[in-house]
Amino acid sequence: MAFSNHLEALRSQDQGPPWAKKEREDATVRALEMAWPTETEEDWRYSVVDQLGLDSYSIGAANSYPTWQGLPPELTDLSRFSAVVRCAGGRVVASEGEMARELVIPIAEADGLSHVVFWGPEARDRFGVVGDAICYDPAILVVPQGMILEAPILVVHALEGRHSFVPTRTVVLAGASCRVEVVEVFVSAGEDSFGVSSTRVVAEEGAQVTYGGLQLLDERDRQVWQLRLEAGRNVSVSSFSVSLGGAYARLQTESYLKGPDSSADIGAAYLGSGEQVLDFRTNQLHCAPYTRSDLLFKGAVGGSARSVYTGLITVAKGAVGTDAFQTNRNLVLSEGASAYSVPNLDIEENDVRCSHASAVGPLDPDLVFYLESKGIEPAEVRRLLVEGFFSDGLERIPDLWLRQVARGLVSEKILKAVTA
């Protein structure tokens, strides 16, 4: 059955509260009228979206209770978290932990949150619109005003459904003056699934939010993931993503600083091996005075893998005093691998400070020669240098525990990348 026929079939299903059904119905109409994006579009340049055979996918559904398979051991200790949300096939199947009842909101009780649960006109391409159309049971987290959470919230998405589109959606609403850390993890069963994923973090005045995203998919899976961080007045947001899996994995990160004196620190580490394609697009949107953003994305590719990074700093009229930095560094570990890096600025205001930097290159041959001359094996030399390359990026993760988890995941993947 063609993908459009699957969408048509879903229109007759009466699932969820009426307000959500109406949002999905509107999105379905839009999705049926749209085409998939192509590599000729600027937002998809250098991608392989033309090669993905998107119309051949069906729409997945939850088949089982997700296990901890594919998760680092540190993430399987439930006592470490304020709440744990398990999702499979795009649906919440369990919420656990002593604060789960207070923090995790079922979609049937979330009618006042439709503006953040569904993207509506902000879902600019067909992936985003399809995400709205098949968004049945997202993970919705609401942290009340003034609440200080000492332990993080964990959300695990298991992609299930052979050769199926699987919607994953996480919404975090951080109330004024609260403090919260959210860790979101993507794992899969290696069924050639396609994750249509979105994560939206909305932080109200004075909130402090830490977000960690771990993409640990099987290398047969694909994902298009949109991460949007929205900061009100005097908000501090820190975000770090680790992307290691997927045959094709795209992460589009938007930091939307809409309140004055807000700040965002955005980081990512990514490693590709084999024939993986890892695709990153970022936009640091400064829409209010005296906002600050600092972005550092670092990646390495070996074998025949490819990475793509295009970044944009946008400073709107009126956003005086903006302070924005954007840095992308890439290591190419083999002759068959490649990396593209394209930073950009779009500034409509004076009295701002904005800069960008990018680099693509191999390991320093002098350092390689020096370490090998000391009797260190070539593979170990490459591993040490790649770990050193990622060290400053990983140090930016504010939570020591999450930093150690990320470091372990990156180190494990480095062994695969340097020997590819």
Side-chain angles (χ1 to χ4, degrees):
M1 183 187 295
F3 182 73
S4 295
N5 293 336
H6 282 278
L7 277 179
E8 285 281 12
L10 286 175
R11 298 177 70 175
S12 62
Q13 295 186 16
D14 185 14
Q15 299 188 46
W19 65 270
K21 187 174 186 299
K22 176 63 166 60
E23 294 278 2
R24 292 197 305 271
E25 168 72 15
D26 292 345
T28 300
V29 172
R30 293 197 303 274
L32 289 168
E33 295 172 347
M34 299 176 73
W36 296 114
T38 69
E39 293 175 46
T40 60
E41 300 171 37
E42 184 60 31
D43 282 351
W44 293 85
R45 207 169 74 158
Y46 305 117
S47 74
V48 293
V49 68
D50 290 349
Q51 305 170 31
L52 299 179
L54 298 168
D55 274 321
S56 66
Y57 283 85
S58 61
I59 295 175
N63 297 314
S64 63
Y65 184 82
T67 67
W68 293 132
Q69 184 176 357
L71 285 182
E74 299 90 341
L75 298 180
T76 62
D77 180 4
L78 297 184
S79 66
R80 184 182 290 277
F81 304 100
S82 297
V84 176
V85 184
R86 303 198 199 200
C87 306
R91 299 173 187 267
V92 175
V93 297
S95 56
E96 303 159 282
E98 62 180 20
M99 300 192 69
R101 187 179 298 275
E102 184 175 358
L103 298 173
V104 184
I105 308 300
I107 192 169
E109 302 173 14
D111 54 321
L113 301 177
S114 62
H115 61 294
V116 291
V117 173
F118 292 90
W119 292 76
E122 294 180 25
R124 290 182 291 271
D125 62 35
R126 198 183 191 194
F127 285 108
V129 177
V130 165
D132 274 355
I134 60 179
C135 173
Y136 283 100
D137 194 9
I140 304 172
L141 310 174
V142 177
V143 184
Q145 177 178 339
M147 177 177 282
I148 307 298
L149 289 178
E150 299 298 336
I153 302 170
L154 175 66
V155 181
V156 179
H157 292 286
L159 269 61
E160 291 186 348
R162 186 172 299 279
H163 205 65
S164 296
F165 278 114
V166 180
T168 77
R169 181 155 302 197
T170 299
V171 178
V172 181
L173 183 57
S177 302
C178 78
R179 187 175 69 204
V180 58
E181 177 181 357
V182 177
V183 179
E184 185 174 29
V185 188
F186 299 91
V187 294
S188 65
E191 296 181 329
D192 186 20
S193 300
F194 199 122
V196 182
S197 305
S198 72
T199 304
R200 192 169 197 165
V201 178
V202 180
E204 298 181 345
E205 181 174 353
Q208 299 179 47
V209 180
T210 299
Y211 172 83
L214 305 177
Q215 187 270 95
L216 310 177
L217 299 177
D218 186 270
E219 291 185 13
R220 288 167 287 186
D221 295 309
R222 297 167 175 82
Q223 183 184 43
V224 172
W225 174 19
Q226 187 169 9
L227 168 62
R228 184 176 174 89
L229 311 166
E230 302 180 24
R233 176 187 292 270
N234 196 30
V235 163
S236 174
V237 176
S238 178
S239 165
F240 199 91
S241 304
V242 176
S243 293
L244 304 177
Y248 173 73
R250 175 185 172 100
L251 170 58
Q252 179 179 333
T253 304
E254 289 186 352
S255 54
Y256 178 25
L257 304 179
K258 57 184 180 180
D261 301 305
S262 58
S263 67
D265 290 282
I266 312 112
Y270 50 95
L271 288 93
S273 60
E275 297 183 352
Q276 287 182 272
V277 179
L278 303 179
D279 185 353
F280 300 88
R281 316 287 164 142
T282 68
N283 194 354
Q284 296 154 258
L285 295 102
H286 291 258
C287 300
Y290 305 106
T291 53
R292 182 193 67 83
S293 68
D294 188 4
L295 179 146
L296 176 62
F297 274 42
K298 303 192 80 170
V301 283
S304 300
R306 173 152 60 105
S307 69
V308 179
Y309 173 82
T310 66
L312 177 64
I313 295 175
T314 302
V315 180
K317 193 70 176 175
V320 296
T322 288
D323 191 356
F325 298 90
Q326 179 188 105
T327 305
N328 176 233
R329 308 287 187 194
N330 299 275
L331 282 179
V332 178
L333 303 175
S334 61
E335 291 185 2
S338 59
Y340 300 89
S341 182
V342 185
N344 296 280
L345 302 174
D346 182 6
I347 301 173
E348 299 182 7
E349 186 56 86
N350 298 314
D351 188 23
V352 300
R353 185 171 67 162
C354 300
S355 65
H356 59 66
S358 70
V360 176
L363 293 170
D364 185 331
D366 292 335
L367 278 175
V368 172
F369 176 78
Y370 173 77
L371 292 173
E372 288 183 354
S373 72
K374 299 298 181 180
I376 304 175
E377 291 295 323
E380 179 66 6
V381 167
R382 288 159 62 83
R383 185 190 68 80
L384 289 171
L385 292 178
V386 177
E387 284 195 350
F389 169 79
F390 281 107
S391 62
D392 62 332
L394 296 173
E395 284 297 318
R396 291 162 60 104
I397 302 176
D399 184 282
L400 176 59
W401 165 79
L402 182 58
R403 190 188 315 157
Q404 291 172 336
V405 173
R407 192 182 300 278
L409 293 169
V410 169
S411 296
E412 184 178 341
K413 183 61 185 276
I414 285 172
L415 292 174
K416 189 171 185 178
V418 299
T419 57

